[in-house]
Amino acid sequence: MHISALFSSALVLAGSALAQSTPPAFLPAVNSTLDVYYGTTYVTPGLMLRKSATQRAPTIGVTNATLPGTYLLAMIDIDVQQQGQPGKRTTVLHALLQDYKSSGQVQNGSTILTTRATGPSSYFGPAPPAETPPHPHNYVFVLHEQPANFAVPAAHRQAVQSRFGIDWVRFMADAGLSAPLFANYIQVQSGDNTVR
Ligand SMILES: *[C@@H]1O[C@H](CO)[C@@H](O)[C@H](O)[C@H]1NC(C)=O
Ligand SMILES: *[C@@H]1O[C@H](CO)[C@@H](O)[C@H](O)[C@H]1NC(C)=O
Ligand SMILES: *[C@@H]1O[C@H](CO)[C@@H](O)[C@H](O)[C@H]1NC(C)=O
């Protein structure tokens, strides 16, 4: 009895060491962690950051993987309060950047990926409004292999342009994306008004 209780708590600990790289509320779930650096800060999945630390696009990379292709990065806030619908949450697209490739540069063991693209949606930093009680926003990063001839599907152009209400599962299906290769996420507290 005691032994099996110990054993199962050891299993729980082992499980948490393989922590998911996406928040529980986000689909698709991803286990492989994208290396994300805001300045010199390495992001472990779910790390809470000050708003002021997140206003410039992060550096991204991967560890123990070779990425010889072209990749697409999305960053999605999944905790946006829906106007006039208390308790309901929607999404805001904070970045959709294409044409990432391995740069050959290595930082802290991460092979860094870079792009010159500023679209389809340029990066804009988190600025979650104050809420009572405070509700930290989760910002999810997903890295996909970018299909040849990638384009934002017509059904999602409005969401990409307005940034509101992107449905990533449907976007993936409509754009012909396969499952994300790597993911990560940060949190920023609502009402954080720190300045750099
Ligand atoms: C992530 O890891 C968990 C636990 O090992 C596993 O059950 C799940 O299928 C994995 N998910 C993916 C998408 O690989
Ligand atoms: C380097 O990467 C490891 C994970 O691979 C991380 O735990 C560590 O904090 C990183 N250090 C720096 C200085 O970025
Ligand atoms: C990378 O591979 C090395 C050697 O197999 C291993 O020790 C390390 O934990 C791996 N790092 C990650 C982030 O998977």
Side-chain angles (χ1 to χ4, degrees):
M1 172 66 189
H2 285 188
I3 287 170
S4 78
L6 262 178
F7 184 63
S8 61
S9 69
L11 278 182
V12 167
L13 280 177
S16 68
L18 300 168
Q20 217 172 270
S21 300
T22 40
F26 183 81
L27 286 176
V30 181
N31 291 338
S32 310
T33 303
L34 180 70
D35 294 338
V36 174
Y37 297 87
Y38 273 103
T40 54
T41 303
Y42 174 81
V43 173
T44 49
L47 183 69
M48 177 85 73
L49 288 175
R50 310 291 301 227
K51 172 187 161 182
S52 56
T54 60
Q55 298 309 296
R56 291 186 60 176
T59 299
I60 64 163
V62 295
T63 305
N64 289 351
T66 318
L67 293 183
T70 303
Y71 304 90
L72 177 71
L73 178 76
M75 176 186 178
I76 303 167
D77 180 352
I78 61 169
D79 288 287
V80 180
Q81 247 184 343
Q82 216 151 30
Q83 287 283 318
Q85 290 180 276
K88 264 203 106 181
R89 301 278 163 180
T90 183
T91 58
V92 160
L93 184 64
H94 274 259
L96 182 58
L97 297 171
Q98 64 182 56
D99 301 339
Y100 273 96
K101 289 178 188 296
S102 291
S103 67
Q105 182 203 346
V106 175
Q107 173 176 334
N108 184 42
S110 311
T111 299
I112 301 304
L113 300 170
T114 55
T115 182
R116 289 179 183 207
T118 55
S121 288
S122 59
Y123 180 90
F124 81 97
E131 278 184 51
T132 312
H135 183 102
H137 285 208
N138 289 281
Y139 298 83
V140 185
F141 298 90
V142 280
L143 186 78
H144 289 267
E145 190 156 5
Q146 182 178 309
N149 311 319
F150 165 75
V152 172
H156 301 270
R157 266 181 219 143
Q158 207 271 330
V160 167
Q161 233 160 48
S162 71
R163 311 252 186 178
F164 277 100
I166 192 94
D167 177 337
W168 198 247
V169 168
R170 289 183 55 194
F171 186 100
M172 283 170 54
D174 293 345
L177 305 184
S178 42
L181 299 169
F182 296 89
N184 204 336
Y185 67 108
I186 59 167
Q187 296 184 56
V188 178
Q189 187 57 270
S190 50
D192 178 350
N193 280 318
T194 55
V195 288
R196 256 190 281 167

Tab-separated table of all heavy atoms in Angstrom, residues 71-135:
chain	number	residue	atom	x	y	z
A	71	TYR	N	10.506	27.087	-41.942
A	71	TYR	CA	9.546	26.923	-40.836
A	71	TYR	C	8.717	28.184	-40.617
A	71	TYR	O	9.129	29.299	-40.979
A	71	TYR	CB	10.303	26.522	-39.554
A	71	TYR	CG	11.108	25.275	-39.822
A	71	TYR	CD1	12.421	25.364	-40.283
A	71	TYR	CD2	10.521	24.013	-39.727
A	71	TYR	CE1	13.150	24.222	-40.612
A	71	TYR	CE2	11.239	22.869	-40.061
A	71	TYR	CZ	12.548	22.985	-40.501
A	71	TYR	OH	13.242	21.863	-40.851
A	72	LEU	N	7.560	27.936	-40.005
A	72	LEU	CA	6.566	28.981	-39.759
A	72	LEU	C	6.331	29.052	-38.255
A	72	LEU	O	6.106	28.027	-37.603
A	72	LEU	CB	5.274	28.566	-40.472
A	72	LEU	CG	4.048	29.454	-40.320
A	72	LEU	CD1	4.248	30.759	-41.091
A	72	LEU	CD2	2.798	28.722	-40.854
A	73	LEU	N	6.392	30.257	-37.708
A	73	LEU	CA	6.193	30.459	-36.272
A	73	LEU	C	4.922	31.264	-36.023
A	73	LEU	O	4.708	32.306	-36.653
A	73	LEU	CB	7.375	31.239	-35.682
A	73	LEU	CG	7.273	31.557	-34.183
A	73	LEU	CD1	7.571	30.315	-33.339
A	73	LEU	CD2	8.217	32.700	-33.794
A	74	ALA	N	4.095	30.777	-35.098
A	74	ALA	CA	2.945	31.568	-34.651
A	74	ALA	C	3.079	31.807	-33.159
A	74	ALA	O	3.618	30.965	-32.430
A	74	ALA	CB	1.634	30.835	-34.950
A	75	MET	N	2.616	32.960	-32.707
A	75	MET	CA	2.528	33.277	-31.283
A	75	MET	C	1.106	33.754	-31.026
A	75	MET	O	0.635	34.710	-31.658
A	75	MET	CB	3.519	34.369	-30.910
A	75	MET	CG	3.403	34.818	-29.453
A	75	MET	SD	4.504	36.227	-29.184
A	75	MET	CE	4.190	36.620	-27.474
A	76	ILE	N	0.421	33.050	-30.112
A	76	ILE	CA	-1.023	33.272	-29.927
A	76	ILE	C	-1.344	33.471	-28.446
A	76	ILE	O	-1.006	32.616	-27.615
A	76	ILE	CB	-1.823	32.064	-30.474
A	76	ILE	CG1	-1.487	31.813	-31.945
A	76	ILE	CG2	-3.324	32.286	-30.287
A	76	ILE	CD1	-1.988	30.467	-32.472
A	77	ASP	N	-1.986	34.588	-28.134
A	77	ASP	CA	-2.531	34.827	-26.786
A	77	ASP	C	-3.875	34.091	-26.726
A	77	ASP	O	-4.765	34.368	-27.531
A	77	ASP	CB	-2.725	36.334	-26.588
A	77	ASP	CG	-3.302	36.694	-25.212
A	77	ASP	OD1	-3.706	35.783	-24.459
A	77	ASP	OD2	-3.348	37.907	-24.914
A	78	ILE	N	-4.006	33.162	-25.781
A	78	ILE	CA	-5.247	32.365	-25.717
A	78	ILE	C	-6.148	32.796	-24.558
A	78	ILE	O	-7.100	32.106	-24.222
A	78	ILE	CB	-4.934	30.850	-25.587
A	78	ILE	CG1	-4.135	30.544	-24.306
A	78	ILE	CG2	-4.209	30.354	-26.822
A	78	ILE	CD1	-4.047	29.040	-24.004
A	79	ASP	N	-5.880	33.966	-23.969
A	79	ASP	CA	-6.612	34.400	-22.761
A	79	ASP	C	-7.255	35.768	-22.892
A	79	ASP	O	-7.409	36.479	-21.906
A	79	ASP	CB	-5.663	34.396	-21.561
A	79	ASP	CG	-5.336	32.977	-21.135
A	79	ASP	OD1	-6.219	32.333	-20.557
A	79	ASP	OD2	-4.214	32.502	-21.426
A	80	VAL	N	-7.651	36.120	-24.103
A	80	VAL	CA	-8.198	37.449	-24.337
A	80	VAL	C	-9.678	37.474	-23.982
A	80	VAL	O	-10.458	36.676	-24.499
A	80	VAL	CB	-8.001	37.849	-25.814
A	80	VAL	CG1	-8.555	39.232	-26.076
A	80	VAL	CG2	-6.532	37.752	-26.191
A	81	GLN	N	-10.039	38.400	-23.093
A	81	GLN	CA	-11.439	38.528	-22.681
A	81	GLN	C	-12.279	38.976	-23.863
A	81	GLN	O	-11.922	39.917	-24.563
A	81	GLN	CB	-11.558	39.569	-21.571
A	81	GLN	CG	-11.970	38.941	-20.275
A	81	GLN	CD	-12.197	39.967	-19.194
A	81	GLN	OE1	-11.775	41.111	-19.291
A	81	GLN	NE2	-12.871	39.548	-18.151
A	82	GLN	N	-13.410	38.273	-24.049
A	82	GLN	CA	-14.279	38.626	-25.154
A	82	GLN	C	-15.177	39.787	-24.722
A	82	GLN	O	-15.781	39.728	-23.660
A	82	GLN	CB	-15.119	37.420	-25.560
A	82	GLN	CG	-15.339	37.341	-27.024
A	82	GLN	CD	-15.519	35.895	-27.496
A	82	GLN	OE1	-15.997	35.049	-26.765
A	82	GLN	NE2	-15.134	35.632	-28.716
A	83	GLN	N	-15.244	40.830	-25.545
A	83	GLN	CA	-16.049	42.017	-25.245
A	83	GLN	C	-17.489	41.628	-24.920
A	83	GLN	O	-18.112	40.914	-25.687
A	83	GLN	CB	-16.068	42.952	-26.468
A	83	GLN	CG	-14.772	43.683	-26.713
A	83	GLN	CD	-14.573	44.852	-25.750
A	83	GLN	OE1	-15.513	45.580	-25.474
A	83	GLN	NE2	-13.374	44.993	-25.213
A	84	GLY	N	-17.978	42.097	-23.786
A	84	GLY	CA	-19.382	41.891	-23.445
A	84	GLY	C	-19.743	40.469	-23.093
A	84	GLY	O	-20.923	40.152	-22.940
A	85	GLN	N	-18.763	39.577	-22.995
A	85	GLN	CA	-19.045	38.186	-22.642
A	85	GLN	C	-18.105	37.741	-21.525
A	85	GLN	O	-17.141	37.019	-21.772
A	85	GLN	CB	-18.899	37.277	-23.859
A	85	GLN	CG	-19.988	37.499	-24.886
A	85	GLN	CD	-19.797	36.583	-26.079
A	85	GLN	OE1	-19.043	36.883	-26.986
A	85	GLN	NE2	-20.480	35.443	-26.071
A	86	PRO	N	-18.426	38.213	-20.291
A	86	PRO	CA	-17.529	37.931	-19.173
A	86	PRO	C	-17.244	36.434	-19.041
A	86	PRO	O	-18.150	35.618	-19.190
A	86	PRO	CB	-18.318	38.425	-17.954
A	86	PRO	CG	-19.342	39.359	-18.496
A	86	PRO	CD	-19.633	38.916	-19.904
A	87	GLY	N	-15.989	36.116	-18.802
A	87	GLY	CA	-15.621	34.715	-18.613
A	87	GLY	C	-15.264	34.013	-19.909
A	87	GLY	O	-14.625	32.978	-19.884
A	88	LYS	N	-15.703	34.585	-21.042
A	88	LYS	CA	-15.361	33.939	-22.319
A	88	LYS	C	-14.023	34.468	-22.814
A	88	LYS	O	-13.764	35.663	-22.785
A	88	LYS	CB	-16.451	34.197	-23.373
A	88	LYS	CG	-17.455	33.061	-23.461
A	88	LYS	CD	-18.164	33.036	-24.803
A	88	LYS	CE	-17.658	31.903	-25.686
A	88	LYS	NZ	-18.319	31.891	-26.997
A	89	ARG	N	-13.205	33.547	-23.297
A	89	ARG	CA	-11.859	33.926	-23.748
A	89	ARG	C	-11.713	33.647	-25.233
A	89	ARG	O	-12.237	32.662	-25.745
A	89	ARG	CB	-10.803	33.119	-22.986
A	89	ARG	CG	-10.852	33.294	-21.474
A	89	ARG	CD	-10.142	34.541	-21.008
A	89	ARG	NE	-10.520	34.904	-19.640
A	89	ARG	CZ	-10.046	35.965	-18.993
A	89	ARG	NH1	-9.199	36.772	-19.585
A	89	ARG	NH2	-10.444	36.236	-17.772
A	90	THR	N	-10.997	34.530	-25.902
A	90	THR	CA	-10.715	34.304	-27.313
A	90	THR	C	-9.204	34.465	-27.539
A	90	THR	O	-8.441	34.480	-26.575
A	90	THR	CB	-11.564	35.252	-28.199
A	90	THR	OG1	-11.314	34.954	-29.572
A	90	THR	CG2	-11.245	36.715	-27.940
A	91	THR	N	-8.794	34.522	-28.774
A	91	THR	CA	-7.359	34.551	-29.070
A	91	THR	C	-6.967	35.845	-29.787
A	91	THR	O	-7.787	36.461	-30.470
A	91	THR	CB	-6.975	33.382	-30.006
A	91	THR	OG1	-7.748	33.480	-31.198
A	91	THR	CG2	-7.222	32.038	-29.351
A	92	VAL	N	-5.719	36.213	-29.607
A	92	VAL	CA	-5.121	37.286	-30.404
A	92	VAL	C	-3.797	36.761	-30.956
A	92	VAL	O	-2.994	36.181	-30.225
A	92	VAL	CB	-4.919	38.578	-29.578
A	92	VAL	CG1	-3.889	39.488	-30.229
A	92	VAL	CG2	-6.237	39.335	-29.434
A	93	LEU	N	-3.615	36.983	-32.248
A	93	LEU	CA	-2.385	36.557	-32.923
A	93	LEU	C	-1.312	37.622	-32.702
A	93	LEU	O	-1.466	38.762	-33.143
A	93	LEU	CB	-2.689	36.392	-34.417
A	93	LEU	CG	-1.584	35.871	-35.319
A	93	LEU	CD1	-1.191	34.446	-34.940
A	93	LEU	CD2	-2.047	35.930	-36.782
A	94	HIS	N	-0.235	37.266	-32.008
A	94	HIS	CA	0.834	38.241	-31.728
A	94	HIS	C	1.946	38.201	-32.753
A	94	HIS	O	2.742	39.142	-32.843
A	94	HIS	CB	1.390	38.045	-30.319
A	94	HIS	CG	0.588	38.786	-29.308
A	94	HIS	ND1	0.975	39.978	-28.770
A	94	HIS	CD2	-0.631	38.517	-28.786
A	94	HIS	CE1	0.051	40.419	-27.942
A	94	HIS	NE2	-0.939	39.553	-27.932
A	95	ALA	N	2.022	37.106	-33.489
A	95	ALA	CA	3.003	37.023	-34.575
A	95	ALA	C	2.656	35.827	-35.443
A	95	ALA	O	2.195	34.796	-34.942
A	95	ALA	CB	4.420	36.849	-34.039
A	96	LEU	N	2.869	35.997	-36.739
A	96	LEU	CA	2.845	34.871	-37.672
A	96	LEU	C	3.962	35.181	-38.666
A	96	LEU	O	3.842	36.100	-39.473
A	96	LEU	CB	1.480	34.748	-38.367
A	96	LEU	CG	1.340	33.564	-39.324
A	96	LEU	CD1	1.586	32.232	-38.616
A	96	LEU	CD2	-0.064	33.552	-39.953
A	97	LEU	N	5.069	34.470	-38.490
A	97	LEU	CA	6.284	34.803	-39.238
A	97	LEU	C	6.744	33.590	-40.019
A	97	LEU	O	6.872	32.491	-39.461
A	97	LEU	CB	7.381	35.268	-38.275
A	97	LEU	CG	7.053	36.551	-37.500
A	97	LEU	CD1	8.099	36.810	-36.425
A	97	LEU	CD2	6.950	37.745	-38.451
A	98	GLN	N	6.987	33.801	-41.297
A	98	GLN	CA	7.349	32.684	-42.157
A	98	GLN	C	8.835	32.713	-42.494
A	98	GLN	O	9.552	33.645	-42.124
A	98	GLN	CB	6.491	32.715	-43.424
A	98	GLN	CG	6.700	33.913	-44.319
A	98	GLN	CD	5.756	33.855	-45.519
A	98	GLN	OE1	4.532	33.770	-45.383
A	98	GLN	NE2	6.337	33.871	-46.712
A	99	ASP	N	9.265	31.665	-43.179
A	99	ASP	CA	10.620	31.578	-43.756
A	99	ASP	C	11.753	31.467	-42.737
A	99	ASP	O	12.883	31.879	-43.022
A	99	ASP	CB	10.898	32.775	-44.699
A	99	ASP	CG	9.904	32.859	-45.844
A	99	ASP	OD1	9.268	31.823	-46.160
A	99	ASP	OD2	9.738	33.960	-46.412
A	100	TYR	N	11.460	30.920	-41.553
A	100	TYR	CA	12.556	30.659	-40.614
A	100	TYR	C	13.444	29.545	-41.152
A	100	TYR	O	12.946	28.532	-41.658
A	100	TYR	CB	12.005	30.216	-39.249
A	100	TYR	CG	11.684	31.354	-38.313
A	100	TYR	CD1	10.387	31.845	-38.219
A	100	TYR	CD2	12.681	31.933	-37.526
A	100	TYR	CE1	10.084	32.885	-37.354
A	100	TYR	CE2	12.389	32.973	-36.665
A	100	TYR	CZ	11.091	33.449	-36.571
A	100	TYR	OH	10.800	34.476	-35.718
A	101	LYS	N	14.756	29.746	-41.007
A	101	LYS	CA	15.743	28.718	-41.380
A	101	LYS	C	16.832	28.688	-40.319
A	101	LYS	O	17.045	29.676	-39.614
A	101	LYS	CB	16.389	29.069	-42.725
A	101	LYS	CG	15.472	28.910	-43.931
A	101	LYS	CD	16.207	29.332	-45.194
A	101	LYS	CE	15.290	29.394	-46.404
A	101	LYS	NZ	14.720	28.098	-46.783
A	102	SER	N	17.531	27.557	-40.244
A	102	SER	CA	18.688	27.474	-39.353
A	102	SER	C	19.706	28.509	-39.802
A	102	SER	O	20.022	28.601	-40.991
A	102	SER	CB	19.319	26.085	-39.431
A	102	SER	OG	18.458	25.142	-38.866
A	103	SER	N	20.222	29.266	-38.837
A	103	SER	CA	21.167	30.333	-39.171
A	103	SER	C	22.607	29.844	-39.087
A	103	SER	O	23.518	30.522	-39.531
A	103	SER	CB	20.990	31.496	-38.196
A	103	SER	OG	21.390	31.077	-36.896
A	104	GLY	N	22.812	28.680	-38.461
A	104	GLY	CA	24.170	28.206	-38.232
A	104	GLY	C	24.730	28.712	-36.909
A	104	GLY	O	25.675	28.159	-36.365
A	105	GLN	N	24.108	29.746	-36.368
A	105	GLN	CA	24.526	30.321	-35.089
A	105	GLN	C	24.033	29.424	-33.951
A	105	GLN	O	22.944	28.866	-34.032
A	105	GLN	CB	23.894	31.718	-35.002
A	105	GLN	CG	24.230	32.518	-33.764
A	105	GLN	CD	23.171	33.596	-33.494
A	105	GLN	OE1	22.341	33.925	-34.350
A	105	GLN	NE2	23.190	34.125	-32.280
A	106	VAL	N	24.875	29.278	-32.911
A	106	VAL	CA	24.483	28.479	-31.747
A	106	VAL	C	24.543	29.363	-30.502
A	106	VAL	O	25.509	30.102	-30.314
A	106	VAL	CB	25.401	27.244	-31.581
A	106	VAL	CG1	25.073	26.495	-30.303
A	106	VAL	CG2	25.281	26.310	-32.782
A	107	GLN	N	23.490	29.348	-29.728
A	107	GLN	CA	23.441	30.112	-28.471
A	107	GLN	C	23.054	29.152	-27.356
A	107	GLN	O	21.990	28.527	-27.432
A	107	GLN	CB	22.395	31.237	-28.608
A	107	GLN	CG	22.117	31.993	-27.314
A	107	GLN	CD	21.149	33.167	-27.519
A	107	GLN	OE1	21.048	33.732	-28.609
A	107	GLN	NE2	20.431	33.531	-26.472
A	108	ASN	N	23.915	28.994	-26.360
A	108	ASN	CA	23.605	28.128	-25.210
A	108	ASN	C	23.164	26.730	-25.656
A	108	ASN	O	22.236	26.154	-25.111
A	108	ASN	CB	22.510	28.806	-24.357
A	108	ASN	CG	22.186	28.023	-23.088
A	108	ASN	OD1	23.078	27.528	-22.419
A	108	ASN	ND2	20.906	27.858	-22.785
A	109	GLY	N	23.789	26.219	-26.706
A	109	GLY	CA	23.427	24.887	-27.176
A	109	GLY	C	22.234	24.851	-28.112
A	109	GLY	O	21.900	23.801	-28.650
A	110	SER	N	21.588	25.989	-28.319
A	110	SER	CA	20.438	26.033	-29.237
A	110	SER	C	20.900	26.430	-30.624
A	110	SER	O	21.617	27.426	-30.778
A	110	SER	CB	19.411	27.078	-28.786
A	110	SER	OG	19.097	26.953	-27.427
A	111	THR	N	20.477	25.668	-31.622
A	111	THR	CA	20.691	26.074	-33.007
A	111	THR	C	19.634	27.125	-33.320
A	111	THR	O	18.433	26.858	-33.262
A	111	THR	CB	20.510	24.870	-33.950
A	111	THR	OG1	21.478	23.892	-33.584
A	111	THR	CG2	20.692	25.270	-35.398
A	112	ILE	N	20.095	28.331	-33.609
A	112	ILE	CA	19.176	29.468	-33.745
A	112	ILE	C	18.546	29.491	-35.143
A	112	ILE	O	19.214	29.253	-36.150
A	112	ILE	CB	19.928	30.791	-33.473
A	112	ILE	CG1	20.519	30.779	-32.049
A	112	ILE	CG2	19.037	32.003	-33.690
A	112	ILE	CD1	19.526	30.543	-30.936
A	113	LEU	N	17.250	29.768	-35.151
A	113	LEU	CA	16.508	29.926	-36.405
A	113	LEU	C	16.223	31.411	-36.590
A	113	LEU	O	15.844	32.089	-35.627
A	113	LEU	CB	15.169	29.185	-36.331
A	113	LEU	CG	15.204	27.681	-36.095
A	113	LEU	CD1	13.796	27.160	-35.792
A	113	LEU	CD2	15.755	26.966	-37.315
A	114	THR	N	16.398	31.884	-37.819
A	114	THR	CA	16.120	33.304	-38.076
A	114	THR	C	15.291	33.449	-39.347
A	114	THR	O	15.265	32.558	-40.197
A	114	THR	CB	17.427	34.115	-38.267
A	114	THR	OG1	18.191	33.503	-39.308
A	114	THR	CG2	18.246	34.159	-36.989
A	115	THR	N	14.641	34.593	-39.452
A	115	THR	CA	13.901	34.929	-40.664
A	115	THR	C	14.068	36.416	-40.930
A	115	THR	O	14.286	37.197	-39.996
A	115	THR	CB	12.400	34.596	-40.526
A	115	THR	OG1	11.756	34.906	-41.763
A	115	THR	CG2	11.718	35.380	-39.403
A	116	ARG	N	13.932	36.788	-42.197
A	116	ARG	CA	13.893	38.213	-42.532
A	116	ARG	C	12.465	38.657	-42.724
A	116	ARG	O	12.208	39.849	-42.886
A	116	ARG	CB	14.651	38.460	-43.830
A	116	ARG	CG	16.132	38.300	-43.609
A	116	ARG	CD	16.897	38.523	-44.890
A	116	ARG	NE	18.304	38.291	-44.612
A	116	ARG	CZ	19.297	38.848	-45.263
A	116	ARG	NH1	19.053	39.671	-46.246
A	116	ARG	NH2	20.547	38.591	-44.938
A	117	ALA	N	11.567	37.701	-42.741
A	117	ALA	CA	10.157	38.037	-42.985
A	117	ALA	C	9.590	38.797	-41.792
A	117	ALA	O	9.974	38.559	-40.645
A	117	ALA	CB	9.347	36.768	-43.222
A	118	THR	N	8.666	39.694	-42.050
A	118	THR	CA	7.966	40.402	-40.974
A	118	THR	C	6.478	40.051	-41.029
A	118	THR	O	5.657	40.688	-40.376
A	118	THR	CB	8.140	41.917	-41.108
A	118	THR	OG1	7.715	42.296	-42.421
A	118	THR	CG2	9.587	42.329	-40.901
A	119	GLY	N	6.149	39.049	-41.813
A	119	GLY	CA	4.755	38.672	-41.952
A	119	GLY	C	4.610	37.191	-42.140
A	119	GLY	O	5.598	36.476	-42.089
A	120	PRO	N	3.356	36.776	-42.358
A	120	PRO	CA	2.123	37.549	-42.592
A	120	PRO	C	1.717	38.519	-41.470
A	120	PRO	O	1.027	39.495	-41.753
A	120	PRO	CB	1.038	36.471	-42.764
A	120	PRO	CG	1.789	35.235	-43.155
A	120	PRO	CD	3.132	35.330	-42.517
A	121	SER	N	2.119	38.300	-40.203
A	121	SER	CA	1.761	39.235	-39.126
A	121	SER	C	3.003	39.512	-38.310
A	121	SER	O	3.574	38.585	-37.731
A	121	SER	CB	0.699	38.631	-38.198
A	121	SER	OG	-0.547	38.582	-38.822
A	122	SER	N	3.386	40.784	-38.241
A	122	SER	CA	4.594	41.139	-37.500
A	122	SER	C	4.391	40.911	-36.002
A	122	SER	O	3.261	40.834	-35.522
A	122	SER	CB	4.939	42.604	-37.756
A	122	SER	OG	3.858	43.412	-37.346
A	123	TYR	N	5.506	40.819	-35.290
A	123	TYR	CA	5.472	40.603	-33.838
A	123	TYR	C	4.978	41.855	-33.132
A	123	TYR	O	5.436	42.957	-33.426
A	123	TYR	CB	6.886	40.287	-33.345
A	123	TYR	CG	6.967	40.054	-31.844
A	123	TYR	CD1	6.794	38.786	-31.310
A	123	TYR	CD2	7.220	41.111	-30.965
A	123	TYR	CE1	6.865	38.567	-29.936
A	123	TYR	CE2	7.297	40.893	-29.590
A	123	TYR	CZ	7.116	39.629	-29.088
A	123	TYR	OH	7.186	39.410	-27.733
A	124	PHE	N	4.027	41.693	-32.212
A	124	PHE	CA	3.793	42.782	-31.249
A	124	PHE	C	3.717	42.198	-29.849
A	124	PHE	O	3.185	41.121	-29.625
A	124	PHE	CB	2.604	43.666	-31.635
A	124	PHE	CG	1.242	43.143	-31.275
A	124	PHE	CD1	0.613	43.566	-30.101
A	124	PHE	CD2	0.577	42.266	-32.101
A	124	PHE	CE1	-0.653	43.105	-29.778
A	124	PHE	CE2	-0.689	41.800	-31.777
A	124	PHE	CZ	-1.309	42.221	-30.619
A	125	GLY	N	4.310	42.921	-28.922
A	125	GLY	CA	4.517	42.403	-27.572
A	125	GLY	C	3.230	42.343	-26.766
A	125	GLY	O	2.282	43.087	-27.019
A	126	PRO	N	3.210	41.435	-25.777
A	126	PRO	CA	2.071	41.314	-24.870
A	126	PRO	C	1.763	42.615	-24.131
A	126	PRO	O	2.676	43.346	-23.755
A	126	PRO	CB	2.536	40.248	-23.877
A	126	PRO	CG	3.532	39.425	-24.626
A	126	PRO	CD	4.229	40.402	-25.533
A	127	ALA	N	0.471	42.884	-23.922
A	127	ALA	CA	0.024	44.025	-23.114
A	127	ALA	C	-1.343	43.672	-22.539
A	127	ALA	O	-2.336	44.326	-22.845
A	127	ALA	CB	-0.045	45.292	-23.951
A	128	PRO	N	-1.421	42.614	-21.715
A	128	PRO	CA	-2.732	42.177	-21.235
A	128	PRO	C	-3.352	43.206	-20.290
A	128	PRO	O	-2.680	43.678	-19.380
A	128	PRO	CB	-2.423	40.872	-20.495
A	128	PRO	CG	-0.980	40.955	-20.136
A	128	PRO	CD	-0.324	41.790	-21.196
A	129	PRO	N	-4.606	43.612	-20.541
A	129	PRO	CA	-5.235	44.630	-19.695
A	129	PRO	C	-5.462	44.128	-18.268
A	129	PRO	O	-5.518	42.916	-18.032
A	129	PRO	CB	-6.568	44.897	-20.395
A	129	PRO	CG	-6.823	43.718	-21.241
A	129	PRO	CD	-5.490	43.136	-21.598
A	130	ALA	N	-5.590	45.080	-17.351
A	130	ALA	CA	-5.842	44.733	-15.948
A	130	ALA	C	-7.183	44.023	-15.820
A	130	ALA	O	-8.123	44.308	-16.560
A	130	ALA	CB	-5.836	46.001	-15.105
A	131	GLU	N	-7.234	43.064	-14.899
A	131	GLU	CA	-8.484	42.356	-14.605
A	131	GLU	C	-8.530	42.121	-13.111
A	131	GLU	O	-7.499	41.934	-12.478
A	131	GLU	CB	-8.501	40.978	-15.279
A	131	GLU	CG	-8.903	40.978	-16.715
A	131	GLU	CD	-8.979	39.551	-17.278
A	131	GLU	OE1	-9.634	38.690	-16.661
A	131	GLU	OE2	-8.352	39.321	-18.318
A	132	THR	N	-9.756	42.074	-12.553
A	132	THR	CA	-9.937	41.705	-11.154
A	132	THR	C	-10.818	40.465	-11.105
A	132	THR	O	-11.944	40.537	-11.582
A	132	THR	CB	-10.621	42.857	-10.374
A	132	THR	OG1	-9.929	44.071	-10.704
A	132	THR	CG2	-10.564	42.614	-8.886
A	133	PRO	N	-10.342	39.335	-10.554
A	133	PRO	CA	-8.967	39.116	-10.101
A	133	PRO	C	-8.000	39.051	-11.293
A	133	PRO	O	-8.447	38.827	-12.419
A	133	PRO	CB	-9.061	37.752	-9.404
A	133	PRO	CG	-10.190	37.049	-10.084
A	133	PRO	CD	-11.178	38.119	-10.440
A	134	PRO	N	-6.701	39.219	-11.027
A	134	PRO	CA	-5.720	39.173	-12.121
A	134	PRO	C	-5.791	37.842	-12.867
A	134	PRO	O	-6.052	36.808	-12.260
A	134	PRO	CB	-4.377	39.311	-11.399
A	134	PRO	CG	-4.695	39.914	-10.077
A	134	PRO	CD	-6.070	39.429	-9.722
A	135	HIS	N	-5.625	37.888	-14.144
A	135	HIS	CA	-5.694	36.680	-14.982
A	135	HIS	C	-4.495	36.709	-15.917
A	135	HIS	O	-4.521	37.392	-16.935
A	135	HIS	CB	-7.015	36.676	-15.768
A	135	HIS	CG	-7.220	35.439	-16.601
A	135	HIS	ND1	-8.043	34.410	-16.220
A	135	HIS	CD2	-6.681	35.075	-17.794
A	135	HIS	CE1	-8.008	33.453	-17.141
A	135	HIS	NE2	-7.190	33.847	-18.106
